[in-house]
Structure formats: structure tokens, C-alpha cells
Amino acid sequence: EVQLVESGGGLVQPGGSLRLSCAASGLTFSTYWIHWVRQTPGKGLVWVSRINNDESSRSYADSVKGRFTITRDNAKNTVYLQLNSLRAEDTGVYYCARAGYSSAWSYFEYWGQGTLVTVSS
Amino acid sequence: QSALTQPASVSGSPGQSITISCTGSSSDVGSYNLLSWYQHHPGKAPKLMIYEGSKRPSGVSNRFSGSKSGNTASLTISGLQAEDEADYYCCSYAGSSTFIFGGGTKLTVL
């Protein structure tokens, strides 16, 4: 059974930093691309970032580009999201999701339960 | 880039069918057949319901179906059941290795 477990969320002041982790089990981790998606309070899901299987390709939403960095450690079956220069609008539940492949790596096949990030003074 | 447009809410009675629309542009929904749908019960992990416009993952009921015409995709749920009550999101590939979600639709089963 595929399991994704996020951790590292918490309360941080504006301008601060956090590192989120996504630990995976039940899959050949080094094969799969991984995404981060967030849900802000009262709003919907927003795609944040993704990394390919060997870390050779990464992409970011414009709203986080230059502030967030996605990395992975295939030996530890873990993906990380470094959040810097945090703003109030970054507050939300952050989910990691394993990508699915059919004709392309184009959907989110398995999701974790999420970790809450609160940016407030 | 603005979110894809979904109705804020839809409702239906048990046994009925409902359709949720998802409108984008020629830069996302209209350009790629890479549209997926997710069911989200608050407090739980989102669940993949449809991928690549109309394909159903193993284990998803055939009451769920997807389609696309031009810049608009649709999710149809037939034979509504109480457990279908949830938030539903569409998501499209938007080029340059980025993705865009819809604003979400709250489905109420009356």
C-alpha cells in the first residue's frame, strides 16, 4: 500500500522559514515524480511544485518561485520542500502527492494527509 | 495565472445525475488532454477520480465519468449517493511543467 506522510509544518513568523518532509513507503520511490499542493484557508487546492525521479528537473508555481525549493533523497524515500521568506498568504495545508503516469506524468495518484503551515506574527 | 473556473456549488438528490464543469483556456484545458478530477472530503486526503480527461483509476466507481470539449471539461456523477457529498476539483497541465487547479465545487446530496 502506498503511503505518503508529511511533516514539518507549524507556526512561523512572516519572513521565516520551514522545511517540510514527505516520507513515502509502499512504492519504488526513485521511479516516481512527486508534487506539493497546498490548500489555503477557505480556498481550494493550488499546485506548488514538483520534482522528477532523479532530481534533474523541478518546477514551481510563480507565487513561490525563488522562495521555495524542492529536493529529494531517494535513499531515504523522502521529498523535501524548503519554504523561505514566508508570507501570510502561504498559510495552508501542504500535501505531497505521488504523480501518476499514463501518456505523461500528468496527475496526482496518491496523496498524503497534509501538514499545516501557519504564517503569522 | 487564474484558477480554472468551476461552479461554487451543485446539488442533487440520491439517484440523480449531476455535472460539474471546469473551464480554462487555450493555454491549459484546450491545449492538453491532461485534465484530472479529485474528490476531497474535508480533513482527508484528496482522491483521484478521473485522469487524462476520461480515464478512471482502478477502484473508482463507473458512476464517475469525464469528458472535454474545447476549453471546458466536465465531470458527471450518475446515481448520486450520500457518500459522493464532497468538494471536487479539476486540474489541468498548463505547460512548462506547471499545473493549475479549479476553484473547487461543493457537491451537496439533498
Side-chain angles (χ1 to χ4, degrees):
Chain A
E1 180 191 4
V2 175
Q3 281 199 320
L4 301 168
V5 179
E6 302 92 337
S7 61
L11 174 63
V12 61
Q13 292 188 339
S17 298
L18 278 177
R19 188 177 82 157
L20 308 183
S21 299
C22 169
S25 60
L27 72 164
T28 305
F29 182 74
S30 61
T31 302
Y32 292 96
W33 296 23
I34 302 291
H35 296 262
W36 287 95
V37 176
R38 70 184 177 191
Q39 182 172 30
T40 51
K43 295 187 179 180
L45 301 174
V46 177
W47 176 80
V48 173
S49 180
R50 74 103 179 118
I51 188 166
N52 73 341
N53 61 310
D54 65 4
E55 224 175 359
S56 61
S57 174
R58 310 168 194 187
S59 56
Y60 301 92
D62 286 345
S63 58
V64 307
K65 202 173 293 183
R67 300 188 299 122
F68 291 8
T69 302
I70 190 170
T71 58
R72 66 190 295 159
D73 184 338
N74 285 342
K76 295 183 177 179
N77 285 7
T78 301
V79 169
Y80 304 97
L81 187 67
Q82 178 69 39
L83 286 59
N84 295 333
S85 303
L86 281 163
R87 307 166 180 168
E89 55 264 36
D90 295 319
T91 294
V93 176
Y94 284 71
Y95 297 96
C96 65
R98 194 207 83 177
Y101 185 92
S102 179
S103 59
W105 290 104
S106 65
Y107 53 97
F108 316 117
E109 193 165 11
Y110 295 97
W111 297 65
Q113 295 288 337
T115 186
L116 177 62
V117 171
T118 303
V119 184
S120 175
S121 55
Chain B
Q1 194 175 16
S2 299
L4 305 177
T5 300
Q6 297 181 234
S9 63
V10 298
S11 62
S13 299
Q16 286 187 331
S17 295
I18 63 94
T19 296
I20 299 171
S21 61
C22 169
T23 301
S25 71
S26 58
S27 299
D28 37 65
V29 178
S31 284
Y32 308 97
N33 195 29
L34 299 175
L35 193 290
S36 50
W37 290 92
Y38 302 87
Q39 178 189 66
H40 190 202
H41 289 102
K44 294 194 172 183
K47 178 184 177 183
L48 174 69
M49 307 303 287
I50 296 287
Y51 65 98
E52 292 186 354
S54 60
K55 298 178 182 178
R56 237 182 353 262
S58 173
V60 171
S61 170
N62 59 9
R63 298 186 298 106
F64 292 82
S65 62
S67 63
K68 192 188 89 164
S69 178
N71 296 339
T72 298
S74 299
L75 173 72
T76 298
I77 308 174
S78 59
L80 267 181
Q81 299 179 0
E83 60 261 36
D84 298 333
E85 186 163 294
D87 297 322
Y88 290 84
Y89 294 90
C90 60
C91 181
S92 176
Y93 180 68
S96 301
S97 299
T98 65
F99 293 80
I100 184 168
F101 277 90
T105 298
K106 182 177 180 60
L107 169 61
T108 301
V109 180
L110 303 170

